[in-house]
Amino acid sequence: MASSRTLLLALFVFLTAFDLSPVDANFIKSMYFYWGAQHSAVLGNGDELQLVLDQTSGSGIISKRSFLFGSIQMLIKLVPGNSAGTVTAYYVSSNGDRHDEIDFEFLGNVSGQPYIIHTNIYAQGNGSREQQFYPWFDPTADFHNYTIHWNPSEIVWFVDGVPIRVFRNYESEGIAYPNKQGMRAYSSLWNADNWATRGGLVKIDWNSAPFIARYRTFRARACKWNGPASISQCASNTPANWWTSPTYSQLSYAKQGQMKWVRDNYMIYDYCKDFKRFNGQIPPECFKPQF
């Protein structure tokens, strides 16, 4: 009997530590509008949201809590039709000149042309680490899951569970890594026609307005930031901090295979290969294994 209880306890700890079923967070309870609330809306019981861009304003939402490590998910259905010049941004960020930030940005395009999935990372205020991809699906036809997974070992950008990018922690070798600042989750829809589509050559067609991005279910399975004490608490290797498990310290071979497929077939820009931009001084993380 004692051995049975021990086995059940071990099974409970395992499921608690490694259960990946997301915890739903209602938009009304977990986020608020910080911009453009007058023409955007939370719908239904608070599980759906729409952000709107027209000639008067864009719009944006922000989480009420800050987080340090974990998994941040959002289901998004991007602006359909002629979305050229618009950007739908979804990211986590801290504040200040030396802020940390992990980005998804979806760059609109003229009808019939693909969106661009634009990713970036800032650590202690330094960014310029862009990688871009074409989606392998129509991101305007249905909702798709965009997840930022962030732990002391690595950051992974997922699209519908498929990893598209990894940024590993090489802080011990002098490469900054976002691990000491709590970050809130944001999403916004805004006019970026000075750069978003073909470098700003294609402007927004306001005859197509209003532009609407739709959202379902913001999910944060993450460590809540409670000030500097969270730096060690959120990074400690405990069952409650499931993201610190060795399981999440590196992609599995299967996930690496998925990512290779995306990067071989849909990647269109990698800052690590832009020698002209950096005058031959490629950032040091580009020479490190990332996955």
Side-chain angles (χ1 to χ4, degrees):
M1 182 66 70
S3 61
S4 297
R5 286 197 298 267
T6 301
L7 181 60
L8 287 172
L9 177 60
L11 180 61
F12 172 78
V13 171
F14 178 86
L15 291 175
T16 301
F18 298 104
D19 178 20
L20 287 178
S21 60
V23 177
D24 293 0
N26 183 282
F27 282 112
I28 294 175
K29 295 179 180 178
S30 61
M31 308 193 84
Y32 63 90
F33 291 101
Y34 70 94
W35 174 41
Q38 71 278 6
H39 63 183
S40 296
V42 176
L43 306 173
N45 295 320
D47 295 325
E48 296 195 21
L49 171 88
Q50 63 181 30
L51 296 182
V52 177
L53 167 66
D54 61 23
Q55 285 182 288
T56 66
S57 176
S59 49
I61 52 172
I62 181 175
S63 64
K64 295 178 180 179
R65 296 296 302 253
S66 296
F67 307 97
L68 180 65
F69 304 137
S71 179
I72 310 293
Q73 307 179 44
M74 193 89 81
L75 299 179
I76 307 175
K77 185 177 182 181
L78 296 178
V79 174
N82 183 2
S83 59
T86 72
V87 168
T88 305
Y90 162 54
Y91 59 102
V92 293
S93 181
S94 60
N95 296 316
D97 294 337
R98 297 180 62 81
H99 78 291
D100 294 337
E101 185 175 326
I102 306 167
D103 294 346
F104 273 108
E105 290 185 302
F106 307 97
L107 314 186
N109 214 331
V110 295
S111 297
Q113 296 299 312
Y115 264 83
I116 291 175
I117 302 173
H118 176 99
T119 67
N120 200 1
I121 177 173
Y122 289 76
Q124 298 177 20
N126 294 316
S128 301
R129 297 182 173 101
E130 300 91 346
Q131 292 183 356
Q132 296 181 336
F133 308 82
Y134 285 138
W136 52 96
F137 51 89
D138 180 355
T140 72
D142 203 351
F143 290 89
H144 291 269
N145 185 313
Y146 302 95
T147 297
I148 296 168
H149 182 82
W150 165 40
N151 65 33
S153 300
E154 65 181 10
I155 297 161
V156 187
W157 290 252
F158 287 95
V159 178
D160 289 335
V162 175
I164 64 171
R165 178 179 182 179
V166 174
F167 185 87
R168 293 196 65 80
N169 183 353
Y170 287 104
E171 188 178 45
S172 62
E173 300 183 37
I175 298 169
Y177 186 81
N179 58 7
K180 297 179 178 65
Q181 300 182 61
M183 295 201 272
R184 295 178 187 260
Y186 295 78
S187 192
S188 58
L189 176 58
W190 51 290
N191 174 3
D193 70 2
N194 62 324
W195 68 274
T197 306
R198 295 184 60 205
L201 294 177
V202 182
K203 303 300 184 182
I204 288 181
D205 178 6
W206 292 111
N207 292 320
S208 300
F211 304 97
I212 301 174
R214 303 180 188 277
Y215 297 76
R216 284 183 184 162
T217 316
F218 165 68
R219 301 170 177 176
R221 296 188 63 228
C223 192
K224 295 176 182 177
W225 173 258
N226 292 305
S230 296
I231 295 173
S232 60
Q233 291 171 353
C234 294
S236 61
N237 190 356
T238 65
N241 291 353
W242 58 270
W243 50 86
T244 63
S245 162
T247 303
Y248 305 109
S249 64
Q250 189 170 6
L251 293 181
S252 68
Y253 288 123
K255 288 298 182 185
Q256 289 183 43
Q258 290 179 342
M259 185 166 65
K260 184 178 186 302
W261 174 78
V262 172
R263 296 172 75 84
D264 287 349
N265 293 283
Y266 296 98
M267 189 175 195
I268 59 172
Y269 178 79
D270 182 358
Y271 76 107
C272 285
K273 298 179 180 178
D274 196 339
F275 295 93
K276 183 177 180 181
R277 175 184 179 185
F278 295 103
N279 296 317
Q281 301 298 312
I282 299 298
E285 67 270 12
C286 295
F287 301 99
K288 303 292 183 183
Q290 296 292 338
F291 41 85

